[in-house]
Amino acid sequence: GIQVEQSPPDLILQEGANSTLRCNFSDSVNNLQWFHQNPWGQLINLFYIPSGTKQNGRLSATTVATERYSLLYISSSQTTDSGVYFCAVEDSNYQLIWGTGTKLIIKP
Amino acid sequence: KAGVTQTPRYLIKTRGQQVTLSCSPISGHRSVSWYQQTPGQGLQFLFEYFSETQRNKGNFPGRFSGRQFSNSRSEMNVSTLELGDSALYLCASSLLKREGPHNEQFFGPGTRLTVL
């Protein structure tokens, strides 16, 4: 089955810093989503991005489907950005396959 | 528009018992998927229902089952609970044509199940 790898696994930054999170996947996918999981477990949708580039405020994402990777950019980090960021891809069986996440800690 | 809701939010059970979790999707969404999240295994797909029919199933034992009602609300049931079933159970809803890939999936807050 498809393998989804996220890097880095952990990231500690000062407030105001920028960061780039990466998601690599091993096969072609139907679509790709980025989520932020807050400390209470809620998964918050960030981007639905099977290909191309999207921006939403301080966050943006780019998926290059032909090269099987996606990047999530966070600019001017705030403490509320802390949490775990997941990439999930939909395989040919229409199942979401999840990466292991990037744990982000933003220090004030 | 109200989001995905799940009840109960927290549950404590003992080994051997059974449990039923409920999920109400976003209005108009007919696809409901269930996921299990544990520290060791991460997020794993359980099953998906669309128009009261199971559309897809992950690699979980038969103790895990589900159903969907005509109003798209879904329930999942775990029988003969084991310690390893302790997890956060998440459901997601999406707009979906009967065939083909999903549109964006939206998640509920989850039910945290502890098995003692």
Side-chain angles (χ1 to χ4, degrees):
Chain A
I2 289 180
Q3 304 298 313
V4 182
E5 295 181 354
Q6 290 186 243
S7 60
D10 299 280
L11 191 55
I12 301 173
L13 298 171
Q14 288 297 131
E15 201 167 23
N18 302 328
S19 58
T20 301
L21 282 57
R22 188 176 180 100
C23 172
N24 292 332
F25 42 98
S26 60
D27 204 345
S28 58
V29 298
N30 289 323
N31 57 59
L32 183 148
Q33 288 190 245
W34 282 98
F35 297 92
H36 174 211
Q37 188 169 40
N38 66 22
W40 299 271
Q42 174 76 57
L43 281 166
I44 299 162
N45 291 51
L46 297 178
F47 294 101
Y48 175 83
I49 186 166
S51 63
T53 297
K54 291 186 177 180
Q55 180 153 7
N56 184 4
R58 297 181 295 104
L59 274 62
S60 64
T62 295
T63 296
V64 184
T66 53
E67 296 187 20
R68 299 178 186 167
Y69 74 88
S70 183
L71 301 174
L72 177 68
Y73 305 96
I74 305 174
S75 64
S76 304
S77 298
Q78 301 175 358
T79 55
T80 52
D81 294 333
S82 295
V84 183
Y85 289 79
F86 287 102
C87 158
V89 303
E90 183 174 294
D91 67 8
S92 57
N93 294 318
Y94 311 127
Q95 293 187 18
L96 267 187
I97 310 300
W98 297 79
T100 51
T102 292
K103 184 175 182 179
L104 177 63
I105 296 173
I106 304 297
K107 293 186 171 183
Chain B
K1 196 181 261 191
V4 179
T5 59
Q6 291 187 245
T7 57
R9 294 292 311 277
Y10 302 91
L11 208 47
I12 299 175
K13 292 286 188 178
T14 56
R15 278 179 299 173
Q17 288 187 308
Q18 74 165 18
V19 67
T20 299
L21 312 181
S22 180
C23 172
S24 293
I26 292 171
S27 177
H29 287 192
R30 294 163 66 192
S31 164
V32 174
S33 299
W34 289 90
Y35 298 85
Q36 181 196 65
Q37 185 176 26
T38 60
Q41 298 297 318
L43 277 148
Q44 294 184 285
F45 171 76
L46 279 157
F47 31 65
E48 178 193 2
Y49 286 86
F50 178 84
S51 292
E52 302 177 65
T53 301
Q54 189 178 83
R55 182 181 185 247
N56 219 335
K57 189 178 189 310
N59 295 322
F60 278 81
R63 300 186 297 107
F64 292 82
S65 63
R67 60 178 175 169
Q68 187 180 35
F69 302 95
S70 57
N71 62 357
S72 294
R73 189 178 70 85
S74 177
E75 289 181 347
M76 67 163 281
N77 183 275
V78 188
S79 62
T80 319
L81 284 166
E82 301 177 359
L83 295 179
D85 297 333
S86 293
L88 179 66
Y89 290 88
L90 294 158
C91 89
S93 75
S94 70
L95 283 170
L96 178 68
K97 299 176 187 176
R98 183 167 292 278
E99 299 296 330
H102 293 85
N103 294 308
E104 191 171 3
Q105 294 198 34
F106 296 88
F107 282 79
T111 294
R112 194 167 294 278
L113 172 65
T114 302
V115 182
L116 302 176

